[in-house]
Amino acid sequence: MPFGEVVCGSPGSGKSTYCYGKHQLFSALNRPISVVNLDPANENIPYPCAVDIASLITLHDAMSEHGLGPNGAMLYCMEYLEANYDWLEARLMELGPESYVLFDLPGQVELSTNHESVKRIVKKLEKSGFRLAAVHLCDAHYVTDASKYISILMLSLRAMLHLELPHVNVLSKVDLLTQYGDLDFNLDFYTEVQDLSHLENALSTASPRYAALNMAICSLIEDYGLIGFETLAVEVTFPNILRYKATGCVFVPSTSTLLPEGAVNDPNAPPTQRPNAWGLMSSAMGSIKGPRSDIRDVQERWVDAREDWDAYEKVQWRREGQLVKEEVRRKNGRRERNTPAGEKTS
C-alpha cells in the first residue's frame, strides 16, 4: 500500500523546499521516495521530479489557448488533470508500491480551501489505495502580527475541513522568525493555539474597528479545537516533522538495505537475538525525545539565543571538519604503510 503526503500552502510558504529537503533526507536514509509536481507554473523545480504535470499541461498553455489569466488558468489546469486522472494514475503505478510519494500542490489557496478538483483528485488517489496525509505550510513570520496569525488559523482550519485528510499544520521558516519583529507571547502559545482571548489587547491595538470580529473568529477557531502547529527549519528540525505519522506509515529500511552488524533476521532465533520489533514501533510512533524535541528548545535556538547558537554551531562544524581531515590523514598513512614497495596508491 503506497503512502504519501499532499503538500499545500500559500505561495512562498516553502512547499518545494520542504519536498526537496524530505527527498534529500529519505535518500540519505536509503528509503524510497518520489516527488510529484502538480504545479503547472513551477518551472524551477529544485528536487528530482518523478512525475511532472508539465508533461500533461502547463499554465502558459492554458492561458494562451483559452485567453485566461494566471488564476483562472491554474484552476483550469487542475480541472484538466482531474478529467485526465488516468494519466496521473498510470505514472504513479510506475513508481512502485514501496515509494513514499509527495504531491507538491500549487500555491493558490483556493485549491485546498474551496475548489473541488484537488479534493476529488485526492479522493481518487485514496480509492487507488494511497494512504495520504495533508501537510499545510504557513510562513512563521505571520505569528509576529496578531491579525495575520488569526488569518493563518482560519486558512489552516478551512484546508483541514475541505481536504478531509489526516492533517499536519507546519510553521515553516522558523529560523527567519527574528527578522520580522518580537513575539507578543512565547512560541508555544502560537503552536499549541492556546487561549486566544490573550490576543484581545494586541488585536484591539492593531485594528480597533474589527476587534469584536476578530474575537468572534477566535471563538470559532477554539470551538473546533482542531488546530495546532509544528515548527520547521528544513536543515535542522526535519526529523521532528517525520515523527508525526499521520498516514500510519512506519518508516523501516527498504529490502535492499543491509542489516546492522549483529542483527539476526531469523524469526526462529531466541528473543535476545531477534530484532526488537516492539522497540522499532515504539521509537517510530512514540513521543519525540532529545535536543530540540520541545517547542521551548526551538524558541531558544531560533528566537531567544539565535546568535549564540549560530556561533556555537560554527565552532562545532569547524571542529568536526578538523576531525574528518585527521581521520582521512590517518587512513592515508595506514594505506601507505600497508602498500608493498614499488606499488602506487590510488
Side-chain angles (χ1 to χ4, degrees):
M1 177 181 295
F3 292 84
E5 298 175 10
V6 177
V7 184
C8 57
S10 56
S13 58
K15 297 182 295 299
S16 294
T17 302
Y18 171 87
C19 292
Y20 184 35
K22 200 155 194 176
H23 187 278
Q24 289 179 308
L25 181 60
F26 272 48
S27 299
L29 297 175
N30 197 23
R31 296 169 179 168
I33 185 171
S34 300
V35 187
V36 177
N37 174 46
L38 295 183
D39 185 354
N42 191 355
E43 298 178 352
N44 300 310
I45 302 175
Y47 47 77
C49 192
V51 180
D52 190 355
I53 191 177
S55 301
L56 177 68
I57 189 172
T58 65
L59 190 72
H60 182 267
D61 293 338
M63 293 175 63
S64 60
E65 184 172 347
H66 300 283
L68 299 171
N71 290 331
M74 181 64 72
L75 299 181
Y76 176 84
C77 289
M78 291 299 104
E79 294 170 357
Y80 189 82
L81 176 62
E82 180 192 356
N84 294 273
Y85 175 77
D86 56 340
W87 173 89
L88 177 61
E89 186 176 33
R91 278 147 185 81
L92 292 175
M93 291 180 63
E94 296 173 358
L95 303 179
E98 300 297 328
S99 186
Y100 193 86
V101 184
L102 303 179
F103 296 90
D104 186 8
L105 290 185
Q108 276 71 1
V109 294
E110 60 265 33
L111 295 175
S112 57
T113 58
N114 59 278
H115 195 256
E116 293 295 322
S117 288
V118 169
K119 181 178 180 179
R120 287 194 285 260
I121 292 171
V122 167
K123 295 303 179 186
K124 290 180 179 180
L125 289 170
E126 290 182 316
K127 289 182 179 179
S128 299
F130 271 90
R131 291 285 298 274
L132 295 172
V135 177
H136 185 250
L137 300 179
C138 300
D139 200 313
H141 84 266
Y142 287 121
V143 303
T144 59
D145 183 283
S147 59
K148 291 180 179 179
Y149 175 61
I150 296 300
S151 70
I152 66 167
L153 290 177
M154 287 294 292
L155 180 63
S156 301
L157 179 60
R158 187 68 190 94
M160 295 174 74
L161 297 176
H162 182 69
L163 292 177
E164 297 179 335
L165 288 172
H167 206 96
V168 179
N169 293 306
V170 179
L171 291 177
S172 61
K173 306 179 186 178
V174 70
D175 51 320
L176 304 178
L177 193 56
T178 54
Q179 299 181 12
Y180 297 95
D182 298 329
L183 299 177
D184 294 322
F185 304 97
N186 287 334
L187 195 56
D188 60 347
F189 173 85
Y190 301 99
T191 57
E192 298 175 9
V193 191
Q194 300 172 2
D195 187 359
L196 297 180
S197 62
H198 294 303
L199 292 173
E200 184 172 3
N201 289 337
L203 291 171
S204 299
T205 301
S207 53
R209 181 178 179 181
Y210 301 107
L213 174 61
N214 286 328
M215 292 313 300
I217 294 175
C218 290
S219 299
L220 173 66
I221 294 169
E222 290 181 333
D223 289 343
Y224 275 96
L226 294 176
I227 304 179
F229 290 96
E230 301 304 321
T231 56
L232 175 64
V234 170
E235 295 182 357
V236 291
T237 61
F238 230 121
N240 289 356
I241 299 295
L242 293 178
R243 299 299 296 272
Y244 290 86
K245 308 300 186 305
T247 59
C249 176
V250 176
F251 296 104
V252 295
S254 64
T255 55
S256 62
T257 303
L258 298 177
L259 287 173
E261 183 179 355
V264 178
N265 190 18
D266 182 5
N268 298 319
T272 55
Q273 297 181 12
R274 290 201 304 266
N276 191 343
W278 182 87
L280 169 67
M281 299 298 177
S282 62
S283 64
M285 303 299 291
S287 59
I288 303 172
K289 299 179 181 179
R292 299 177 192 163
S293 59
D294 189 275
I295 189 61
R296 290 169 293 185
D297 298 328
V298 176
Q299 172 153 346
E300 179 184 355
R301 171 62 183 91
W302 298 115
V303 179
D304 296 338
R306 172 173 178 166
E307 293 182 357
D308 294 337
W309 272 101
D310 286 345
Y312 171 78
E313 286 190 346
K314 288 180 180 179
V315 172
Q316 297 303 312
W317 290 339
R318 191 178 301 111
R319 183 177 302 171
E320 182 178 348
Q322 292 173 349
L323 292 175
V324 170
K325 290 181 180 179
E326 291 175 2
E327 180 65 22
V328 171
R329 282 197 296 267
R330 282 196 296 268
K331 289 182 178 179
N332 291 337
R334 287 195 297 267
R335 188 181 297 114
E336 291 177 357
R337 287 193 299 269
N338 295 332
T339 301
E343 292 187 8
K344 294 182 178 181
T345 59
S346 57

